[in-house]
């Protein structure tokens, strides 16, 4: 009886090679990105298993053509500013996202990996000068009579002695 094992092994290798070629062509340029994402796993604050799972999900989505480019974070942030109720709050939100405009300066600190991004904006508001109120004329100091003025060359007078307490 002749064994078919070598032909089965060759058939499996051929099918495996065709599957690998199909996956590689479906990935296109995403293959290098997948390898880069896997290289980051274990060197960031994310769980390694979750990182590998996310990289695989991104590779599958890219194979389906779902990942066409980098997300537009700025447009996303401005869309969230549109949810503000008052126009003043909306304007302030947009100034924080866009980095300040006019008399507003904005700064960004932190990172998502570090726990959060803190956006701060400082708006300088120039207050109008107060209107001058009518003032009463300043009092005029009358000169002190000479007999009441102390002599700068004389020592100060001694205080009067205290009377003895009553028993």
């Amino acid at each position: 009886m002749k064994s078919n094992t070598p032909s089965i092994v060759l058939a499996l290798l051929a099918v495996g090679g065709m599957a690998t070629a199909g996956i590689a062509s479906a990935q296109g340029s995403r293959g290098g990105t997948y390898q880069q994402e896997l290289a980051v796993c274990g060197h960031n604050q994310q769980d390694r298993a979750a990182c590998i799972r996310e990289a695989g999900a991104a590779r599958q989505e890219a194979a389906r053509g779902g990942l066409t480019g980098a997300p537009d974070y700025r447009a996303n942030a401005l869309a969230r500013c549109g949810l503000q109720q008052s126009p003043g709050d909306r304007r302030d939100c947009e100034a924080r996202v866009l980095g300040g405009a006019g008399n507003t300066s904005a700064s960004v600190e932190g990172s998502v990996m570090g726990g959060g991004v803190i956006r701060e904006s400082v708006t300088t508001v120039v207050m109008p000068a107060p209107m001058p109120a009518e003032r009463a004329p300043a009092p005029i100091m009358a000169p002190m009579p000479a007999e009441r003025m102390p002599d700068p060359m004389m020592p100060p007078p001694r205080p009067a002695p205290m009377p003895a307490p009553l028993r």
Side-chain angles (χ1 to χ4, degrees), residues 1-6 8:
M1 186 167 177
K2 191 173 181 184
S3 172
N4 290 334
T5 306
I8 292 175

Side-chain angles (χ1 to χ4, degrees), residues 34-152:
Y34 175 69
Q35 294 302 322
Q36 290 171 352
E37 290 174 355
L38 283 182
V40 171
C41 292
H43 301 291
N44 58 14
Q45 295 178 354
Q46 187 179 17
D47 178 46
R48 181 166 170 72
C51 180
I52 292 170
R53 205 170 34 249
E54 290 290 327
R59 180 176 63 177
Q60 284 180 345
E61 189 65 24
R64 284 192 294 234
L67 297 179
T68 57
D72 189 0
Y73 295 117
R74 188 177 195 187
N76 184 358
L78 287 174
R80 283 184 276 126
C81 288
L83 298 175
Q84 297 294 324
Q85 297 296 326
S86 75
D89 289 343
R90 191 174 309 117
R91 185 178 57 247
D92 292 342
C93 178
E94 290 171 358
R96 281 190 298 274
V97 170
L98 299 175
N103 60 349
T104 301
S105 64
S107 64
V108 179
E109 295 180 22
S111 68
V112 173
M113 293 302 286
V117 177
I118 299 173
R119 296 181 185 273
E120 174 188 39
S121 66
V122 177
T123 303
T124 305
V125 178
V126 179
M127 300 299 291
M131 296 298 290
E134 288 190 34
R135 293 189 225 165
I140 299 173
M141 300 293 289
M144 187 180 270
E147 65 270 0
R148 291 186 55 200
M149 290 185 71
D151 186 5

